[in-house]
Amino acid sequence: MTGGPGWVWRYDGYDPARERLVEALCTLGNGRFATRGSAPECAAGPTHYPGTYLAGCYDRRTSLLDGREVENEDLVNLPNWTLLRYRCLPEDRPAGEWLTPGSDRLRHYEARLDLRRGVLVRNLFFQDAEGRGLRVGHTRFVHMGDPGLAAQLTTFHAYGWSGEVEVESVLDGDVANAGVERYHDLESRHLTGHRTVFAPGGVAGLSCRTHTPGHLIALAVRTDTHPEAPARTIGTSTGTVQVYRLPVARGRPARVAKTLALHTSPAGTPEEPLAAAVEAAGRAPAFPALLAAHEAAWQRLWEEGKLSVPGEAGRILRLHVFHLLQTLSPHTAALDVGVPARGLHGEAYRGHVFWDELFVLPYLDLHFPEVARALLLYRHRRLPAARAAARRAGRQGAMYPWQSGSSGEEETQEVHLNPRSGRWLPDHSRLQRHVGSAVAYNVWKYARATGDSGFLHGEGAEILLEVARYWAGSAVLDPALGRYRIRGVVGPDEYHDAYPGAAAPGIDDNAYTNVTAAWVLARGLDLLRELPGARRAELSERLALDEEETARWDEVSRRLHVPFHQGVVSQFEGFGELAELDWEAYRARYGDIRRLDRILEAEGDTVNRYQASKQADTLMLGHLFRPRELSELFARLGHRMDDGVWRATVDYYLRRTSHGSTLSGLVHGWVLARLKGPDAWRYCEEALLSDVADIQGGTTGEGIHLGAMAGTIDLVQRGITGLEAGPDGLRVAPVALKELPRFSFTLCCGGHRGVRLRFLPGRLGVRVPAGPGGPLPLVLPGERRFAVPPGEERWFSL
């Protein structure tokens, strides 16, 4: 992998072991759908894995595992529209082989991803033993302006021979979800009812549907050639093939353009998406005009999402912004979708929605607030399902699922495979009830950052109050402690899902869960006081919320149990009594011990016995809350949380964390940067490299880690700047990180779009674009208050 001038990622040489990583990192999308950056010549196999994924398009299937029926909902891999087979037909020779990157005639191979333009280019050169060559160039994009279109242009240049290139333009519906080896034993066929058509103008169409809930999906591809040539068409039971013979000679190249139109409709509706897709493909502009409109759309997007950081860190951050905007673009605002943890880039985690919006929304709040709002509305539309889940658990309020998909039901798998031992094991991660606090936190922070009181007082209030109600009902008073306790949960750590030897899953009083629950309860009370009288009365009546219940909220928010041991916050009750792990011995034996849980299980042991965390758990509190907020929150709970206690807690868990999640380095880097710790950059750098260097050992090829990517952007945007947008304006309290001495970005704040902040050592520049809004309030350390008028740039000392 080599770099370009900050905007181009280039992969030189064909390395089969690296191809899936390249495919994930070169995925192209527009917020509605995305296509992996696979080689057009290759169908799915051990090396290559083409995939196209439509946001929110899930299918539910039942699999048989060890005699047990297991149901899973998956983001569906759609028909492959990119497939293009070709071979040389020299004038004086028999037809050659179908050429692929794996051919022994391959002499050159490179892939270039242009972030500025949103374009993937592949260049290949084949040469036979007699020196006759074929240079092939592919240019692909998924249209950022029109969310239903994509295109791919292939150019052939002949060297040392003349004749024809035989080309098969394929629309392949014989696909499955086979991109994650761990899911090999699960049902993978999600498409049925295939139907194909051919239409004038080189258009081929394919429609199919999912099983449940029954999405109707139609893809139509228009194939244009230069020189123009007639097509021989072949319809199969699952796809279409259009065969062309194109003359080539030195100086006379041939071109093939595939233009995709993707349409869908819910099952049971009278709309016929196949006819619409065929029409859209037929009337789409030619490739050059489509590309120009696509590039213009990306230019507008980059203006709103601008982030400039020098050096390699800046280059990686730009890639992270690129993939975030491909997954969640302004087009997302019109959809009913959540934040897929692995983007639209692969099938890991089955395309499910976890808590990753906790790391994604802070960027969107300040750059694309309409997208952030839409993602919160996804949660609001699934509030009835969360209420029903709470009732089934014997609770009130709303209990959001750890993994969500189409319906808002709990989609967490019941069993998971340990690839080290080959055993399917019970999966208790659904006990991560803290996801509800993340949803409520996002509601509150979005409203504070954007000033969208309409959302906060409307849908947002319903979410936040129902999550608060759930926490108040889940907390049980322990008379011996004089404290309320929340039992039987799993924290962000995920390793510890039971006490050693316990018959039932779950641990008690996870500190992160309890402290964030107290925060939600306190904000619920604040919100009730803030609501206009009529809206407060309406909600209180509709939710049957009375003063007795809110008084309990206040009591629980002050008396939730937070365990301590050895002067530090305990990850959960009893954590300090677990055995210490011989970390050095395990590193010496295994090298990479990020997935310590799998290692220990394969040995016949369990991580539940040890003081060992997969990722930041207690320390997540330092990611969500500034030191003053954290101190006030602990004081509300009757505990002292000063700099000494927090530093001791951080040091304690740094020595006991295996970093088995890409989010772990991010959170540790954030926390240490705010503490001005000497190792801050080491963790920040690990977070930056997590996907581009695939530090988790092969997982990025299954899909990027969107939360970690977005979190690194937010690390610069809010972490080291101390930036918070709120009712009193823009607060900035930077901490110096010598590896990032200068950077700039734009954001939306105080009714202004395109506010630019420039950070230099000891100085801050703020430019507010000209417009009808008033001056932007700015609060700097020491409560120094300023106002920056529209159309001006002001500089301040820090």
Side-chain angles (χ1 to χ4, degrees), residues 197-414:
V197 297
F198 292 97
V203 176
L206 168 65
S207 69
C208 50
R209 62 176 174 81
T210 59
H211 295 81
T212 306
H215 297 276
L216 298 177
I217 303 155
L219 298 88
V221 169
R222 187 186 77 217
T223 303
D224 298 304
T225 67
H226 178 81
E228 289 188 14
R232 178 167 58 91
T233 59
I234 304 170
T236 71
S237 60
T238 58
T240 65
V241 182
Q242 295 163 286
V243 184
Y244 301 87
R245 287 192 170 193
L246 306 176
V248 292
R250 184 172 183 85
R252 290 193 288 119
R255 298 180 181 86
V256 178
K258 298 182 72 171
T259 302
L260 168 74
L262 172 60
H263 281 241
T264 64
S265 64
T269 63
E271 182 183 350
E272 173 48 71
L274 182 55
V278 168
E279 180 188 359
R283 59 178 163 78
F287 189 91
L290 270 180
L291 178 58
H294 164 74
E295 292 174 345
W298 263 110
Q299 183 178 358
R300 293 190 295 271
L301 212 54
W302 281 119
E303 284 299 316
E304 293 194 58
K306 189 176 295 182
L307 172 67
S308 299
V309 177
E312 183 66 3
R315 198 171 75 93
I316 296 172
L317 284 165
R318 189 174 287 120
L319 178 73
H320 290 181
V321 174
F322 178 75
H323 284 301
L324 175 58
L325 294 180
Q326 292 196 118
T327 307
L328 303 166
S329 79
H331 297 300
T332 307
L335 306 176
D336 179 25
V337 298
V339 176
R342 305 299 286 272
L344 298 174
H345 298 60
E347 295 159 14
Y349 301 168
R350 300 181 178 87
H352 290 170
V353 176
F354 293 68
W355 68 331
D356 295 77
E357 64 244 55
L358 195 61
F359 304 91
V360 170
L361 260 63
Y363 174 82
L364 297 175
D365 289 346
L366 295 174
H367 295 270
F368 301 94
E370 67 284 353
V371 179
R373 193 179 200 272
L375 296 170
L376 292 170
L377 287 173
Y378 165 87
R379 292 295 193 179
H380 181 260
R381 293 187 190 100
R382 285 147 187 82
L383 185 58
R387 286 170 171 149
R391 287 195 299 272
R392 288 194 296 271
R395 301 279 188 263
Q396 291 182 297
M399 185 176 79
Y400 278 97
W402 174 236
Q403 295 187 32
S404 180
S406 61
S407 67
E409 299 292 331
E410 179 62 78
E411 300 296 349
T412 302
Q413 63 272 18
E414 297 175 12

Side-chain angles (χ1 to χ4, degrees), residues 425-693:
L425 308 168
D427 192 311
H428 301 304
S429 60
R430 66 184 59 223
L431 296 177
Q432 292 188 74
R433 307 301 185 205
H434 62 81
V435 65
S437 293
V439 175
Y441 180 93
N442 290 330
V443 166
W444 185 265
K445 289 295 184 178
Y446 161 80
R448 286 298 186 258
T450 64
D452 189 351
S453 59
F455 175 81
L456 180 62
H457 296 167
E459 297 92 343
E462 296 176 17
I463 293 172
L464 199 151
L465 295 176
E466 288 287 62
V467 173
R469 171 176 267 175
Y470 171 77
W471 284 130
S474 298
V476 177
L477 182 64
D478 183 336
L481 274 179
R483 291 273 182 175
Y484 286 91
R485 309 188 67 182
I486 298 177
R487 298 179 181 270
V489 300
V490 170
D493 160 44
E494 294 188 317
Y495 273 178
H496 296 88
D497 62 0
Y499 286 101
I507 47 90
D508 301 333
D509 300 310
N510 172 254
Y512 174 83
T513 300
N514 286 14
V515 172
T516 55
W519 182 90
V520 172
L521 288 162
R523 296 297 75 75
L525 294 168
D526 290 344
L527 178 56
L528 285 170
R529 286 188 288 268
E530 176 185 316
L531 286 173
R535 175 60 173 160
R536 182 169 58 249
E538 176 197 351
L539 272 177
S540 297
E541 181 178 356
R542 181 144 58 86
L543 302 179
L545 190 61
D546 56 27
E547 291 185 2
E548 181 180 350
E549 184 173 355
T550 56
R552 176 180 168 83
W553 291 14
D554 186 68
E555 181 181 9
V556 173
S557 75
R558 299 177 187 278
R559 296 176 63 192
L560 269 169
H561 178 47
V562 180
F564 283 75
H565 73 278
Q566 299 177 27
V568 304
V569 181
S570 297
Q571 186 169 303
F572 54 83
E573 183 63 45
F575 184 85
E577 299 168 17
L578 299 178
E580 290 282 12
L581 183 80
D582 189 342
W583 291 87
E584 291 309 314
Y586 272 88
R587 288 190 180 100
R589 191 182 316 169
Y590 292 99
D592 185 350
I593 60 169
R594 286 185 174 90
R595 291 311 304 265
L596 186 62
D597 57 332
R598 292 175 176 173
I599 291 172
L600 289 169
E601 193 278 331
E603 290 183 345
D605 203 347
T606 172
V607 75
N608 285 328
R609 296 181 53 234
Y610 300 100
Q611 295 183 48
S613 298
K614 174 185 176 185
Q615 62 193 73
D617 189 302
T618 304
L619 301 193
M620 267 295 298
L621 296 170
H623 181 268
L624 296 189
F625 305 112
R626 305 294 182 186
R628 186 179 66 180
E629 292 177 288
L630 200 57
S631 177
E632 291 172 351
L633 192 48
F634 271 78
R636 183 184 184 94
L637 289 162
H639 298 288
R640 178 175 59 87
M641 176 54 72
D642 57 20
D643 186 67
V645 174
W646 181 243
R647 286 182 181 274
T649 300
V650 171
D651 290 342
Y652 185 88
Y653 289 105
L654 276 175
R655 300 192 301 272
R656 294 169 173 83
T657 303
S658 71
H659 306 293
S661 164
T662 55
L663 294 172
S664 191
L666 165 69
V667 175
H668 283 85
W670 178 298
V671 169
L672 288 173
R674 297 304 301 179
L675 287 175
K676 302 178 182 179
D679 290 333
W681 181 247
R682 177 164 69 88
Y683 290 103
C684 295
E685 189 173 40
E686 179 175 308
L688 284 168
L689 295 174
S690 59
D691 272 336
V692 298

